Amino acid sequence: MSAVPTLRESIAPLVDLIYPPRCPVCGAAIAQQAGLCASCWSDLVIPGEPACAACQRPFAGDSTGEGALCAPCLAQPPRHDGIAAGTLYNDTARKLVLAFKHGRRIALAPMLARLIAARLPPMEGEWLVAPVPLHRWRLWHRGFNQAVLLAAEIARLTGAELMVDGLERRKRTPALGGLGRKARMRTLQGAIAVDSRRRARLRGAQVLLVDDVLASGATSDACVPALKRAGATRVVVACFARVLDDGGMGRASMTEPHRS
Ligand SMILES: [Zn+2]
Ligand SMILES: [Zn+2]
C-alpha cells in the first residue's frame, strides 16, 4: 500500500461535498461515493455452487456431482474456458449497469470490477485482460467503452497485463436484444477480429475477456475463437452481470438486457 493518496482518494471529500453520495440503484443516501445502499447490496445475486464445470452456470439443486455439465454445454461444448460472473442479472444489476453505462457513473467501475475479481478462477502464470470491443461509432456516441474501464480495474486488481486493443470490431452490429441465437450469430459473423499487431503477444497467452453484461453470450462467442485462432491457449470470460436464459436462477427478472 502506498502512503500517498491516489487522486481519487484525495478529491473524494470534495466530490462528496458537491454531490452528496447516493445509491446509484435506488437513490438512497449512502456513506461514500461509489458504493450501494445495504438494501441494494443484498439484492445482488452472487452465482453459487454447485455449478456447471464448463461454464459455471449455477445448478438449481445441490445433488449434482463434481464435473457435471449444464444442458446448454452438453448440447454444444463452449469454446471459452469458463465464465466468471460477478452477479447474476436481475433488476438491481440491470440498474447498476445502466447507471454505469448510460448514466456515466464511471466511478462505479472499481466496485463492479471487485465483484468480478472475487469470482475469478486462480490465475496462475501470465494473463492478459482484454475488453470486448465496441464499434468506433458506438464508442464515439457513448464516449467510453465500459468494458475497457472494467478490464483496466481488473488488471490493476489481479496484476495481469491490460490489452485494450487486442480485439477490434470490424463492422457495426445492431443491438442483439431481440434476436434469436442463430440471428445473433449471423449478425456477428466476421464482426470481431484480433488486431494483427497484437497477434504475436496473444500466442500462447491466457486471456481474461471482459464485458459488463453477458447476455446470450453471442458477442463473447465471437471473440473467443478469434483469440484462439491468434494462439491464445485459454480464454475465460469475465462479466459483471450474467443473464441466465432459463430464468430459474437468481430471482432474475428477465427483461431484455440491451434494450433500455
Ligand atoms: Zn440502493
Ligand atoms: Zn455450462
Side-chain angles (χ1 to χ4, degrees):
M1 280 294 266
S2 155
V4 182
T6 63
L7 180 63
R8 190 186 296 137
E9 282 159 6
S10 52
I11 65 168
L14 188 64
V15 172
D16 287 356
L17 202 65
I18 303 169
Y19 304 106
R22 301 249 162 223
C23 173
V25 175
C26 72
I30 51 172
Q32 53 177 299
Q33 296 282 358
L36 292 186
C37 75
S39 152
C40 289
W41 263 120
S42 66
D43 284 340
L44 289 177
V45 180
I46 311 296
E49 304 280 337
C52 170
C55 78
Q56 288 69 51
R57 174 191 296 268
F59 289 128
D62 51 11
S63 57
T64 319
E66 188 92 348
L69 299 181
C70 70
C73 287
L74 279 173
Q76 188 169 39
R79 286 192 270 191
H80 59 65
D81 301 286
I83 297 179
T87 68
L88 298 182
Y89 190 85
N90 66 3
D91 201 42
T92 302
R94 181 181 65 88
K95 286 178 181 161
L96 207 43
V97 168
L98 288 179
F100 175 49
K101 197 149 73 174
H102 301 294
R104 297 179 175 264
R105 297 279 297 252
I106 57 176
L108 287 170
M111 184 192 72
L112 303 185
R114 275 197 302 276
L115 284 163
I116 299 171
R119 307 294 308 164
L120 292 175
M123 290 167 68
E124 275 147 30
E126 277 188 49
W127 284 76
L128 297 173
V129 185
V132 167
L134 268 191
H135 190 271
R136 63 180 184 280
W137 289 2
R138 194 163 291 170
L139 187 62
W140 179 79
H141 181 72
R142 189 176 297 153
F144 65 97
N145 177 357
Q146 70 282 358
V148 170
L149 298 182
L150 293 177
E153 288 293 335
I154 290 171
R156 204 174 55 82
L157 290 168
T158 58
E161 181 185 333
L162 178 65
M163 183 188 267
V164 170
D165 53 358
L167 292 162
E168 58 182 10
R169 289 251 181 189
R170 291 268 165 88
K171 65 179 190 186
R172 198 179 176 206
T173 48
L176 300 171
L179 302 176
R181 184 182 152 73
K182 287 230 169 81
R184 288 171 198 251
M185 281 169 62
R186 237 187 346 262
T187 305
L188 285 162
Q189 191 99 50
I192 294 171
V194 162
D195 186 309
S196 55
R197 291 163 299 179
R198 293 303 203 168
R199 216 160 265 279
R201 186 70 189 85
L202 281 164
R203 196 166 303 128
Q206 307 183 87
V207 181
L208 199 61
L209 177 67
V210 177
D211 208 353
D212 55 346
V213 176
L214 187 72
S216 65
T219 308
S220 59
D221 284 353
C223 294
V224 173
L227 290 166
K228 293 216 164 165
R229 273 197 304 273
T233 52
R234 193 171 168 203
V235 181
V236 171
V237 179
C239 64
F240 166 66
R242 178 180 183 181
V243 179
L244 289 182
D245 40 22
D246 53 74
M249 296 299 301
R251 299 176 282 132
S253 63
M254 285 298 148
T255 45
E256 281 289 347
H258 282 304
R259 280 187 162 171
S260 25

